Amino acid sequence: MSLNLTSILQRVISTPQCTSICGLKHFPAPPKYDHVHFPERSKLTVMERVPQFPPGLKPPKMQKRLRYMRGPELVHNSLQYKQYGIQALSGGRLKWIHFEMVRLAIGRKMDLNRMFAIWRIDAPWQPVTKMGQGQRLGGGKGAIDHYVTPIKAGRIIMELGGKCEFVEVQDILHKIAMKLPFKAMAVSHEMLEEMKLKEAENEKNNVNPYTMKYLIQNNMGGCQNWLSPFDLKWFCKYV
């Protein structure tokens, strides 16, 4: 018993394996950007090289205070606009020249009609002193050479968003992250949420009881005699 041509075509088209036959293609709907809120300024602002002090006040000097770069960032570790940005993977310092590098790179590559970028860090504020070339030891603390911004691991450096997808801006953010003086990576809101869930899952499903935290808390092998106070606090996770 033979079927007519119309019924055969209907059966072929209705099968999920042959959705692209006879020129029929099913493309996904374009994403909607109704939830995107643009800030007042769409471009990165120019950061000051030297902080402004009240008139008559001598610029104060400061110690190194490496604790400003050690440990995890507990506050500014998420994206405010829930889109894309650059996250620091380790501690470090940013000079004014790094701010300008990021600002110029984003300004050249960003589409101002449908994108925006904001800073998530402060302008350089911590003074770094330096002795003159060829001077002898002693003589007090040197003069202020430049200012820096200390960064902790997990800190969001800047955010980039708007009516765009992560595929469009991933290469731009990755190239900028590779030029920073510490380890950093381009991230999206979905990536950050996935990383948190994966870390919690790995900690929950770990079957090895001899973790670094267990070894340090129980002083296995007398390790507390040569570990630093930061290792006793963060269990060798952060430098």
Side-chain angles (χ1 to χ4, degrees), residues 135-147:
Q135 290 189 4
R136 292 189 178 185
L137 297 179
K141 195 170 181 62
I144 296 176
D145 183 67
H146 60 277
Y147 290 85

Side-chain angles (χ1 to χ4, degrees), residues 175-231:
K175 290 181 179 180
I176 295 175
M178 293 297 103
K179 296 179 182 179
L180 295 177
F182 45 80
K183 293 183 180 180
M185 64 178 296
V187 296
S188 63
H189 179 68
E190 292 75 13
M191 289 177 58
L192 294 179
E193 295 297 326
E194 185 179 352
M195 290 165 58
K196 292 180 182 179
L197 293 176
K198 186 176 181 180
E199 183 178 2
E201 182 180 359
N202 292 340
E203 184 177 359
K204 180 180 179 180
N205 299 331
N206 183 26
V207 296
N208 183 13
Y210 294 100
T211 60
M212 186 62 69
K213 180 179 180 180
Y214 179 85
L215 297 177
I216 294 177
Q217 288 181 342
N218 292 275
N219 196 20
M220 302 289 287
C223 60
Q224 295 184 4
N225 296 328
W226 48 268
L227 287 176
S228 68
F230 294 97
D231 293 331

Side-chain angles (χ1 to χ4, degrees), residues 99-205:
F99 284 87
E100 284 297 292
M101 180 271 298
V102 175
R103 185 182 67 86
L104 295 176
I106 291 294
R108 285 192 298 263
K109 301 294 184 179
M110 183 179 63
D111 188 357
L112 298 178
N113 296 326
R114 57 189 183 91
M115 297 182 186
F116 67 88
I118 60 171
W119 291 112
R120 291 294 306 277
I121 51 179
D122 300 325
W125 59 270
Q126 185 181 11
V128 177
T129 59
K130 183 179 180 182
M131 297 291 289
Q133 184 70 24
Q135 290 189 4
R136 292 189 178 185
L137 297 179
K141 195 170 181 62
I144 296 176
D145 183 67
H146 60 277
Y147 290 85
V148 296
T149 300
I151 302 295
K152 288 187 177 183
R155 179 68 182 260
I156 301 296
I157 307 299
M158 53 83 60
E159 289 191 38
L160 179 64
K163 298 180 180 180
C164 57
E165 299 184 21
F166 186 55
V167 180
E168 302 179 50
V169 300
Q170 183 178 9
D171 186 58
I172 302 174
L173 298 177
H174 175 72
K175 290 181 179 180
I176 295 175
M178 293 297 103
K179 296 179 182 179
L180 295 177
F182 45 80
K183 293 183 180 180
M185 64 178 296
V187 296
S188 63
H189 179 68
E190 292 75 13
M191 289 177 58
L192 294 179
E193 295 297 326
E194 185 179 352
M195 290 165 58
K196 292 180 182 179
L197 293 176
K198 186 176 181 180
E199 183 178 2
E201 182 180 359
N202 292 340
E203 184 177 359
K204 180 180 179 180
N205 299 331

Side-chain angles (χ1 to χ4, degrees), residues 41-54:
R41 291 182 58 92
S42 60
K43 298 176 64 176
L44 294 176
T45 57
V46 180
M47 292 295 190
E48 296 181 349
R49 184 192 292 262
V50 178
Q52 298 295 328
F53 297 100

